[in-house]
Amino acid sequence: MIFNITYTEWIGYLASVALIISFLMKNLSTLRIINSIGAILFVIYGFMLAISWPIIITNTFILMANIYYLTIKRKQTVKENI
């Protein structure tokens, strides 16, 4: 516990900050990377809350969507531009 705030709450706050910062990015790839960090932190937070499935499922989906657009979709776009 730091400043009378539990480690679980710190992870939640850190995840929220990452999410907020991601939406301030102009570059879409940077937005997705930082948003993915926030999603990972929210998944960890969901497990730390004695398994909060709505938080875990939602952020796992967000993470998978970000990975899809950062990898698979990017490769398709590169091939189309060649």
Side-chain angles (χ1 to χ4, degrees), residues 47-78:
F47 279 107
M48 292 176 80
L49 288 175
I51 313 295
S52 177
W53 287 114
I55 293 172
I56 295 167
I57 292 168
T58 302
N59 285 283
T60 299
F61 175 80
I62 291 169
L63 180 60
M64 293 302 114
N66 283 335
I67 290 171
Y68 171 78
Y69 282 107
L70 284 169
T71 57
I72 297 167
K73 194 68 173 174
R74 178 180 284 171
K75 289 178 186 175
Q76 290 174 353
T77 304
V78 169

Side-chain angles (χ1 to χ4, degrees), residues 9-69:
E9 288 180 80
W10 277 113
I11 296 293
Y13 290 135
L14 190 58
S16 295
V17 167
L19 183 70
I20 291 166
I21 290 171
S22 76
F23 288 115
L24 298 175
M25 299 293 109
K26 291 182 181 180
N27 181 296
L28 191 57
S29 292
T30 306
L31 182 150
R32 290 192 183 281
I33 291 167
I34 295 173
N35 189 271
S36 294
I37 293 167
I40 290 167
L41 289 168
F42 268 122
V43 169
I44 294 167
Y45 178 64
F47 279 107
M48 292 176 80
L49 288 175
I51 313 295
S52 177
W53 287 114
I55 293 172
I56 295 167
I57 292 168
T58 302
N59 285 283
T60 299
F61 175 80
I62 291 169
L63 180 60
M64 293 302 114
N66 283 335
I67 290 171
Y68 171 78
Y69 282 107

